[in-house]
Amino acid sequence: MPIVRRINELDEQFKSLSDDQLRARTAAWKEEISKIPELEEQWKKLDEILPEAFAVVKNAARRLKERQHTFTVCDQPMVWDMVHFDVQLLGGIVLHKGRIAEMATGEGKTLVATLPLYLNALTGRGAHLVTVNDYLARRDAEWMGQLYTFLGLTVGCIQHDQEPDVRRQQYACDITYGTNSEFGFDYLRDNGMATTREQQVQRGYHYAIVDEVDSILIDEARTPLIISGPATISTHQYDKWKPLIEQLVRKQTMLCNRLAAEAMAKFEEGDVETAGRIMFKVKLGQPRNKQLLRMMEDPDKRRAIDKAELSFYQDTRKEELFQLKEELFFTIDEKSNEADLSEQGRIFLNPDDPNAFVLPDLISEFTEIDLDPTLSPEEKEKKKAERQQYCDAQAERIHNISQLLRAYCLFEKDVHYVVEDNKVVIVDEFTGRKMPGRRWSDGLHQAVEAKEGVQIDRETQTLATITIQNYFRLYQKLAGMTGTAETEAAEFHDIYKLDVNVIPTNKPCIRVDYNDRIYKTRREKYNAVIKEIKDCHSRGQPVLVGTVSVEASELLSRMLKREKIPHNVLNAKFHMQEAEIVARAGQRGTVTISTNMAGRGTDIKLGPGVPELGGLHVIGTERHEARRIDRQLRGRCARQGDPGSSRFYVSFEDDLMRNFGAADRMTKIMERFGLEEGQELEHRWLNKSVETAQKRVEQRNYLIRKRTLDFDDVMNMQREVVYGYRNEVIDSEEPRKLIYEVIDEAVPAKVKEYLGSDEPNYTGLLHWVNTTFPLGLTREKAQFETRSVEENAQFLLEKIKSAYERKSSHEDPTAVKSLERYIILNAIDRLWQEHLYAMDALREGVYLRGYAQKDPLIEYKTEAYEMFVELMANIKNEVLNNLFRSTSNLQAFENFLATLPQFLMREDLAAAPAGAGGSARARQPQPAGAVAAVAGDGEGAGEISIDLPVRRSMPKVGRNEPCPCGSGKKYKNCCGRVA
Ligand code: ADP
Ligand code: MG
């Protein structure tokens, strides 16, 4: 490795430099590179200076170590004790080249990243390091920041609760640490919402290193980032119903506990059938009942309950099932996620009118009304409208109650969500990681908020969205590091054009990986796991137990409690606390249970005396769907040449084994061996069988992700066009040019639409012109018939532009540019949001068409394209519509109105509603005085407006940011003032 040798030679030479001389290199390189205009050329320069630059970083690390430099990281005192190893230099080179460096846990990837980050930050364009959580972003920025600041570079760190001003400062630093979702959300806010350059916080996407890259680009890629804003109207009544539902749930719990006790007695009597039937009822009423869960762990009881369930779902027993449900207050179906009140429950909630929770039969009611001879047609309509309204209110109430029931019965605090800073934060079921900023849909999130007694946020709608994949594709150069990338190398290559390089470990790895132990049932398996934990614990050897779900962790924890073995369970509550628990996991006698160790980002050092005991022992309680996750877990022990061992436990009842065919084959083998209760199988051939099943799942999951991406590519292209245009508007020094471009394109298109056919519609055109622009054209003045289509377009263009110039001359000259930008931005944002909504619906819709032998993707692409063309046309028309309806101040507007042709004032303005398109837009928040009607009567407006549901159209503006209406005041003191 000649480059590494060269770096070390230079490091040796630099020892004679003073601190200042070493530091001076940074400024000199920055200066030199800033003179190179092209990024590609800058990169070439970086390649040239790589050995020297890496040597400078390494030399700085050496100096800090020699002086035993002390500092604090996340309020903990620390001493700098690291100088880059050769393998770390190698890792740094790979990262600089825009590849993935696979380096095992504990190899010091945090330090590796300092080399390429320093080098690439020399371009002055900003280098980003992406972590899996906020805590790690802060920890690593403060820790590695020691090196950067020593060398004269600035380092920043994005945290969830930062205000835009602070974020902007962090991005302005040479190097910025932050999580993928913060980076992604900032992108969305900058490009989809900010209305001026000053409001934007990021400054380009040049180089990023993604830490735990598999975790972020593969696991997290399942959920897109979504920014949602409050929907305009909110009708929820969660607060109102909460106390009653709470009582109802309590009653049901008491009932279910009584039933469970009854069932237990029946089991003991040997009446398994009755017991199963009773427990099935408990399952209907309270699927997460503690005693039920415990019984489900016992295979005999479980079988009895499953059997009862199966028999009740037979067609012939519908009536009985209904009866069974009526004996409860409500039923909960975990699979379909539904909650239904029974008669008893309805009476409890509203003793006077149990029908208050039943939807009326509208169709027959309407028929009755229609047939009623005593009613006049008007009365009939009125009556129908009343019934409709009643039905809507009813539906809302039922929905609210069923969401509350779900919130109480299916969603557990600290398992499915945590409560932090008066907010409900979702916990990812698979990774156990918190997902701040994400919300459940359809009112469920609010129901959970009501349950927890925290502030209930309003219903939301999507304002902007992007997948993690597409965010990272924005970077000119992307690199990644992780302990496990090799198994997913094909995917990284295909989707991100990232190649994987495996870096050797600093010291040879001496971990012992035992063969899997395979059992018939889950219960036997868990018993064996507990036995092994007990065994290690009695000798003082620390154990790390990995599970694939939060539920499995809890089960194990219960079992360990029964055995009185002290242990820690990693839950998603606090990342910092989590890091401490992980760090302690290598101490003598500790037992740590964790869901999915992938991407936890803290390494486990062995405590005194532990190496002699064989180091950390890792137990996997199930093989994960992806081999990568298993390797991550194994990799937690035996870091940096430490001793360590690992073993996985598997049962035929595990999902992986049941679903992917491995079980069948193995059952045969087991039968041949005549396996008895509690006995296990163990052979390296069997490990292979399990891996085959895993490969099959990996392949399937990859195809699913690829498919998602194919769909998202369509949206991505559209987003690029729209965001590109938006930024052009924001950056434009002469927004009027852009307005005129719109006029030049949209007006001739309209003229052609009216006049282009064999039967030209002169009246229609005249109507459109007069409802969109204050030209006061009459048939005689217009004389459309005397000109060709093109000539008419030309004629109108001139008239419109001169009218616009006239209007502008009355405007406040300092505000007119902001106003013009705002007219376009407002049109883009409003319609783009509608479009996002429609695209969602389309995406769901095309899947249904899949049945008709059509490829959903092709259908989606075709229709999405058509919708996009329409969107762009609609945006232009919306701009035209608002051109003469927007003003920088009311006085100017009135002056302008006074100059309009008299008859127009009389005929059209008098009847003008608040805006074309009428009620829809009038209900949206508007900057005071910025929108008023000049022209447009009710009917005519209908022709040009886009009839869409009521949704929020204002970009989300921070309360302290300048008001988008261009007044120069803060938003909170202007249009955002709370009435
Ligand atoms: P990884 O992310 O690769 O799992 P970390 O970056 O968390 O590893 O580092 C693991 C531990 O190794 C840290 O405690 C760090 O201080 C230590 N370490 C890393 N590089 C060196 C080095 N060159 N010399 C000494 N200790 C190091
Ligand atoms: Mg790490």
Side-chain angles (χ1 to χ4, degrees):
M1 35 184 172
I3 301 187
V4 170
R5 200 178 312 136
R6 176 93 189 109
I7 297 169
N8 285 328
E9 277 167 20
L10 288 161
D11 169 40
E12 208 46 48
Q13 289 172 24
F14 291 161
K15 282 182 183 168
S16 59
L17 299 179
S18 72
D19 282 2
D20 283 335
Q21 283 171 324
L22 188 71
R23 200 170 291 137
R25 302 262 166 162
T26 309
W29 277 323
K30 268 188 116 172
E31 162 89 33
E32 189 182 346
I33 293 169
S34 70
K35 294 201 181 105
I36 305 173
E38 291 294 320
L39 181 63
E40 299 277 329
E41 296 298 314
Q42 290 185 330
W43 279 350
K44 279 194 191 132
K45 181 74 192 169
L46 295 186
D47 292 342
E48 267 169 44
I49 62 170
L50 182 144
E52 255 181 292
F54 278 24
V56 164
V57 180
K58 178 166 176 176
N59 200 266
R62 181 187 306 290
R63 286 169 199 238
L64 292 181
K65 181 174 176 180
E66 276 164 8
R67 316 179 180 169
Q68 304 202 335
H69 172 69
T70 55
F71 53 100
T72 56
V73 169
C74 297
D75 310 315
Q76 302 288 320
M78 269 185 101
V79 183
W80 188 273
D81 59 354
M82 305 181 286
V83 183
H84 303 76
F85 301 131
D86 286 354
V87 288
Q88 289 179 316
L89 299 177
L90 210 56
I93 296 169
V94 169
L95 293 178
H96 169 70
K97 286 188 175 159
R99 296 162 159 257
I100 291 177
E102 176 173 308
M103 299 182 76
T105 312
E107 286 294 302
K109 291 185 280 292
T110 322
L111 184 67
V112 173
T114 55
L115 301 160
L117 284 174
Y118 171 82
L119 179 61
N120 283 272
L122 294 173
T123 61
R125 296 170 187 257
H128 295 170
L129 190 125
V130 185
T131 63
V132 291
N133 65 45
D134 259 18
Y135 163 73
L136 288 174
R138 185 177 155 206
R139 183 196 76 176
D140 293 356
E142 290 181 6
W143 190 12
M144 299 302 126
Q146 305 304 315
L147 263 186
Y148 305 131
T149 39
F150 181 88
L151 288 169
L153 286 184
T154 52
V155 54
C157 163
I158 308 289
Q159 299 278 287
H160 184 62
D161 51 9
Q162 282 167 345
E163 296 285 325
D165 284 346
V166 181
R167 284 172 188 264
R168 198 171 305 112
Q169 285 162 16
Q170 309 305 308
Y171 283 114
C173 293
D174 293 306
I175 294 165
T176 309
Y177 285 71
T179 64
N180 57 324
S181 39
E182 292 305 319
F183 280 121
F185 281 137
D186 282 338
Y187 166 75
L188 289 176
R189 279 188 288 257
D190 274 5
N191 290 280
M193 283 161 204
T195 52
T196 60
R197 184 48 86 192
E198 292 71 48
Q199 286 171 11
Q200 299 183 328
V201 299
Q202 292 185 331
R203 55 176 186 123
Y205 313 91
H206 297 103
Y207 179 59
I209 300 177
V210 182
D211 192 8
E212 308 290 359
V213 64
D214 52 338
S215 182
I216 290 179
L217 293 190
I218 293 181
D219 301 335
E220 290 260 325
R222 270 188 306 227
T223 27
L225 302 174
I226 296 173
I227 292 191
S228 41
T232 323
I233 28 176
S234 176
T235 50
H236 80 80
Q237 313 154 342
Y238 295 108
D239 285 334
K240 182 176 150 200
W241 292 105
K242 176 188 162 162
L244 273 174
I245 294 294
E246 217 159 55
Q247 284 181 39
L248 189 68
V249 169
R250 211 172 304 138
K251 276 181 98 99
Q252 178 107 325
T253 308
M254 273 154 51
L255 174 65
C256 286
N257 284 343
R258 208 170 57 230
L259 287 171
E262 224 174 274
M264 204 58 203
K266 289 285 178 203
F267 271 128
E268 270 154 29
E269 282 169 28
D271 187 354
V272 179
E273 204 181 314
T274 313
R277 201 190 74 98
I278 299 175
M279 285 318 289
F280 170 55
K281 190 153 102 183
V282 173
K283 192 174 172 189
L284 285 174
Q286 209 186 7
R288 302 187 66 83
N289 178 290
K290 291 268 168 342
Q291 300 184 60
L292 171 68
L293 292 182
R294 192 155 316 145
M295 287 187 202
M296 293 299 272
E297 283 163 28
D298 177 334
D300 293 335
K301 297 199 174 82
R302 184 194 187 122
R303 213 168 298 134
I305 300 167
D306 285 351
K307 205 170 147 200
E309 174 162 8
L310 219 64
S311 77
F312 269 106
Y313 282 121
Q314 279 165 8
D315 272 354
T316 48
R317 299 189 68 180
K318 277 206 173 114
E319 193 63 23
E320 275 175 88
L321 180 61
F322 179 75
Q323 281 305 330
L324 203 64
K325 287 184 176 174
E326 285 299 305
E327 290 165 34
L328 296 157
F329 293 98
F330 54 86
T331 52
I332 297 277
D333 187 341
E334 245 186 321
K335 274 200 212 88
S336 64
N337 238 324
E338 271 165 30
D340 264 329
L341 283 174
S342 69
E343 182 76 18
Q344 277 196 70
R346 288 195 288 270
I347 293 175
F348 174 81
L349 288 181
N350 196 344
D352 305 329
D353 179 15
N355 282 337
F357 306 101
V358 186
L359 280 184
D361 176 0
L362 267 195
I363 304 294
S364 36
E365 283 190 19
F366 278 13
T367 320
E368 239 168 73
I369 295 172
D370 277 334
L371 293 177
D372 187 342
T374 64
L375 296 173
S376 70
E378 292 79 40
E379 283 169 327
K380 282 182 183 170
E381 280 315 305
K382 194 166 156 241
K383 219 163 171 176
K384 280 192 206 167
E386 273 169 22
R387 294 311 293 166
Q388 180 71 53
Q389 213 171 10
Y390 172 78
C391 181
D392 290 349
Q394 207 73 326
E396 180 73 26
R397 192 177 323 159
I398 295 171
H399 179 68
N400 277 210
I401 285 173
S402 98
Q403 293 296 42
L404 274 171
L405 285 173
R406 290 172 61 200
Y408 274 94
C409 302
L410 292 173
F411 291 82
E412 273 183 59
K413 189 171 154 184
D414 294 339
V415 176
H416 300 99
Y417 62 91
V418 293
V419 176
E420 255 179 33
D421 303 333
N422 215 19
K423 281 198 162 58
V424 169
V425 181
I426 301 178
V427 171
D428 184 292
E429 195 185 338
F430 297 102
T431 62
R433 212 173 289 138
K434 287 185 295 182
M435 307 202 287
R438 302 196 195 172
R439 291 175 66 84
W440 286 302
S441 58
D442 204 19
L444 178 61
H445 210 93
Q446 290 149 298
V448 177
E449 285 168 336
K451 169 184 164 193
E452 293 299 336
V454 304
Q455 157 96 37
I456 301 180
D457 284 339
R458 287 201 291 162
E459 268 131 285
T460 56
Q461 69 171 76
T462 305
L463 300 182
T465 169
I466 189 171
T467 55
I468 305 265
Q469 286 105 327
N470 280 319
Y471 173 72
F472 284 110
R473 284 165 156 198
L474 291 168
Y475 283 87
Q476 314 253 16
K477 186 159 74 168
L478 185 64
M481 48 191 196
T482 170
T484 43
E486 220 185 347
T487 51
E488 250 75 22
E491 179 163 352
F492 284 122
H493 179 86
D494 292 351
I495 295 183
Y496 299 96
K497 311 242 176 330
L498 282 169
D499 290 317
V500 177
N501 287 154
V502 181
I503 312 287
T505 51
N506 185 39
K507 292 185 185 157
C509 176
I510 56 166
R511 187 182 63 223
V512 183
D513 293 329
Y514 295 109
N515 287 331
D516 291 3
R517 284 202 172 137
I518 303 172
Y519 297 83
K520 262 201 293 207
T521 64
R522 213 176 267 171
R523 193 175 60 119
E524 291 164 71
K525 178 183 79 173
Y526 280 122
N527 286 339
V529 168
I530 296 289
K531 196 162 153 270
E532 182 156 346
I533 296 174
K534 259 169 105 172
D535 182 47
C536 294
H537 185 68
S538 65
R539 283 184 289 113
Q541 183 177 23
V543 197
L544 173 70
V545 190
T547 68
V548 297
S549 69
V550 176
E551 252 174 322
S553 282
E554 299 206 320
L555 168 67
L556 267 179
S557 170
R558 277 202 300 274
M559 292 175 82
L560 285 176
K561 263 187 211 143
R562 260 177 258 157
E563 299 285 341
K564 306 218 165 27
I565 297 180
H567 58 277
N568 286 314
V569 183
L570 275 192
N571 56 26
K573 258 178 141 176
F574 300 106
H575 289 129
M576 189 152 167
Q577 201 173 311
E578 167 186 308
E580 276 165 28
I581 293 182
V582 175
R584 259 186 281 126
Q587 299 300 314
R588 218 187 147 93
T590 30
V591 177
T592 312
I593 302 178
S594 163
T595 310
N596 203 335
M597 281 302 292
R600 296 253 184 210
T602 318
D603 83 327
I604 303 175
K605 287 182 179 155
L606 300 183
V610 172
E612 293 73 26
L613 293 166
L616 179 67
H617 182 55
V618 168
I619 298 178
T621 57
E622 198 164 316
R623 286 283 206 143
H624 195 273
E625 285 188 350
R627 285 170 296 164
R628 180 171 52 84
I629 308 287
D630 292 346
R631 289 184 58 207
Q632 276 271 1
L633 180 62
R634 282 212 156 109
R636 291 290 147 174
C637 67
R639 56 179 287 282
Q640 291 283 345
D642 285 344
S645 51
S646 75
R647 182 188 313 273
F648 276 82
Y649 282 79
V650 177
S651 94
F652 286 177
E653 289 178 346
D654 296 352
D655 291 343
L656 176 75
M657 306 294 280
R658 282 192 297 112
N659 298 339
F660 293 90
D664 279 355
R665 224 167 332 128
M666 282 200 233
T667 318
K668 287 201 190 95
I669 305 178
M670 285 193 131
E671 275 164 3
R672 205 171 327 135
F673 284 105
L675 215 65
E676 309 230 326
E677 167 88 12
Q679 261 187 326
E680 77 225 6
L681 260 191
E682 193 184 313
H683 195 281
R684 74 195 148 77
W685 289 354
L686 294 175
N687 303 351
K688 278 264 173 298
S689 265
V690 177
E691 280 195 18
T692 313
Q694 286 178 309
K695 277 187 202 158
R696 221 171 285 158
V697 190
E698 280 167 18
Q699 188 61 24
R700 189 195 60 158
N701 286 344
Y702 169 56
L703 289 177
I704 294 173
R705 284 190 294 268
K706 180 93 177 58
R707 186 93 178 142
T708 312
L709 201 67
D710 286 339
F711 272 88
D712 196 57
D713 275 346
V714 178
M715 259 296 285
N716 200 40
M717 276 180 317
Q718 299 186 353
R719 180 175 37 237
E720 272 171 21
V721 174
V722 170
Y723 283 1
Y725 183 42
R726 231 184 151 276
N727 277 327
E728 199 183 326
V729 176
I730 290 177
D731 291 337
S732 162
E733 273 312 305
E734 284 179 76
R736 179 153 320 169
K737 268 196 185 150
L738 295 174
I739 296 250
Y740 280 6
E741 267 173 27
V742 171
I743 299 179
D744 284 336
E745 281 175 42
V747 172
K750 271 284 175 198
V751 174
K752 202 164 162 215
E753 195 181 308
Y754 283 107
L755 308 184
S757 71
D758 292 342
E759 285 175 48
N761 179 357
Y762 296 113
T763 326
L765 179 62
L766 189 67
H767 194 75
W768 174 72
V769 170
N770 276 335
T771 49
T772 314
F773 311 103
L775 299 181
L777 277 184
T778 56
R779 202 171 270 276
E780 299 75 49
K781 275 201 221 161
Q783 299 277 339
F784 288 140
E785 297 85 345
T786 63
R787 290 185 222 95
S788 70
V789 177
E790 289 72 29
E791 284 165 346
N792 272 320
Q794 210 48 46
F795 165 77
L796 286 176
L797 281 177
E798 275 160 30
K799 282 220 166 286
I800 293 165
K801 286 182 189 170
S802 84
Y804 186 71
E805 295 292 334
R806 192 147 46 94
K807 171 186 177 276
S808 301
S809 66
H810 291 272
E811 295 283 350
D812 176 355
T814 54
V816 79
K817 280 187 184 176
S818 313
L819 180 67
E820 285 171 343
R821 283 192 201 102
Y822 185 67
I823 291 174
I824 311 182
L825 290 180
N826 197 38
I828 298 176
D829 292 348
R830 190 171 84 78
L831 292 166
W832 172 241
Q833 280 157 30
E834 302 295 351
H835 182 73
L836 286 181
Y837 192 76
M839 288 280 285
D840 265 355
L842 174 65
R843 197 162 165 163
E844 277 163 31
V846 291
Y847 270 105
L848 299 175
R849 295 180 213 176
Y851 293 116
Q853 309 293 316
K854 287 179 182 164
D855 180 359
L857 182 61
I858 294 177
E859 293 272 296
Y860 178 73
K861 278 186 180 164
T862 322
E863 291 210 17
Y865 177 75
E866 281 164 20
M867 277 166 60
F868 189 67
V869 172
E870 204 173 306
L871 167 73
M872 294 318 267
N874 285 343
I875 289 177
K876 285 175 202 146
N877 286 330
E878 173 98 351
V879 170
L880 294 189
N881 278 334
N882 285 333
L883 263 190
F884 291 92
R885 291 191 176 88
S886 312
T887 182
S888 54
N889 77 56
L890 267 184
Q891 188 55 50
F893 203 54
E894 276 167 20
N895 292 345
F896 167 63
L897 290 186
T899 70
L900 289 180
Q902 280 307 304
F903 84 96
L904 179 82
M905 296 292 292
R906 204 178 58 247
E907 277 182 21
D908 291 334
L909 267 185
S919 56
R921 215 158 314 146
R923 277 156 72 181
Q924 290 158 7
Q926 293 171 353
V931 182
V934 173
D937 56 41
E939 277 174 349
E943 231 175 83
I944 47 159
S945 77
I946 307 121
D947 219 2
L948 292 163
V950 186
R951 324 197 85 209
R952 183 192 161 99
S953 75
M954 285 276 290
K956 192 170 181 297
V957 192
R959 310 226 357 102
N960 283 315
E961 286 170 33
C963 188
C965 76
S967 63
K969 286 190 224 159
K970 283 189 175 175
Y971 181 62
K972 66 177 177 194
N973 296 327
C974 187
C975 308
R977 193 178 353 229
V978 183

